[in-house]
Amino acid sequence: SNDKNPAKFYPFLESQIKVMNDKSSRAIEILAEIVENTSFEDGKRIREIIRELVSRIEMNLMQAGHQVANSRLTSYFSPTASYVEKISGYEYFVFLRNLEKDFDNQFDKLKSKLYSLKKDLFNINNWTVSITGEDKEVNLLKENLSIWFSILD
């Protein structure tokens, strides 16, 4: 967007992969397989992941509480900091802790949101691909990208 409004924030997901030329096709196949086969049906495993995240954030709160407080304060003045607070700060911790406490009642809603997010993130209209390399490598990767794009909605 060409919107110059500093109060607007446009989050995005960035991912990178580095491979040897002869492995680029296999690397893209692996990425495609991960995206295609990611399932959010295993409530037990998702609960474990949430518990691990809550535990990790609790340790961070105890070890670096001043940084957490600073990030929280900054979130009131900066759209970017506000977004970071929601996805990794104290607000995120409260969200996860509440989810953990009421997991059985919230699992179906969470699962639905995760599938929706997956669909939004892995949509062909939301992708930008940058390639760095010699012409030979760029052309090879372009050929193999059809594998990747075939799985995107």
Side-chain angles (χ1 to χ4, degrees):
S1 170
N2 290 332
D3 190 347
K4 301 289 184 195
N5 182 349
K8 287 193 175 180
F9 180 70
Y10 300 95
F12 62 92
L13 173 68
E14 178 179 277
S15 59
Q16 297 180 15
I17 117 178
K18 295 179 184 182
V19 296
M20 302 299 289
N21 295 339
D22 61 333
K23 303 293 183 194
S24 63
S25 176
R26 182 64 184 134
I28 290 174
E29 286 174 12
I30 291 169
L31 290 174
E33 185 179 323
I34 290 168
V35 171
E36 270 188 313
N37 296 326
T38 295
S39 170
F40 303 109
E41 301 300 319
D42 188 350
K44 182 179 177 187
R45 178 66 183 130
I46 292 173
R47 184 190 311 252
E48 287 173 9
I49 292 168
I50 290 169
R51 285 183 176 152
E52 288 173 19
L53 289 168
V54 167
S55 176
R56 191 174 309 144
I57 295 170
E58 282 176 339
M59 286 191 312
N60 186 46
L61 284 170
M62 288 185 276
Q63 294 173 354
H66 63 289
Q67 290 174 337
V68 174
N70 186 44
S71 296
R72 185 116 168 111
L73 179 63
T74 306
S75 74
Y76 293 111
F77 302 104
S78 162
T80 303
S82 177
Y83 181 76
V84 170
E85 170 68 17
K86 288 179 175 106
I87 65 166
S88 64
Y90 184 75
E91 193 170 329
Y92 178 59
F93 169 70
V94 170
F95 164 76
L96 287 174
R97 192 176 55 194
N98 289 338
L99 187 57
E100 178 187 25
K101 287 180 182 175
D102 194 28
F103 185 82
D104 292 330
N105 291 325
Q106 294 191 42
F107 177 64
D108 288 336
K109 184 178 175 184
L110 173 65
K111 183 170 58 170
S112 175
K113 283 186 176 187
L114 290 171
Y115 278 116
S116 176
L117 181 60
K118 177 183 169 184
K119 184 177 181 190
D120 288 345
L121 287 174
F122 298 103
N123 177 317
I124 196 163
N125 297 317
N126 294 337
W127 278 83
T128 301
V129 176
S130 299
I131 304 170
T132 304
E134 303 284 329
D135 287 342
K136 178 183 169 188
E137 289 95 11
V138 171
N139 291 331
L140 180 64
L141 197 54
K142 281 181 181 177
E143 291 172 21
N144 291 316
L145 281 174
S146 62
I147 298 166
W148 178 251
F149 290 131
S150 70
I151 65 141
L152 301 177
D153 289 334

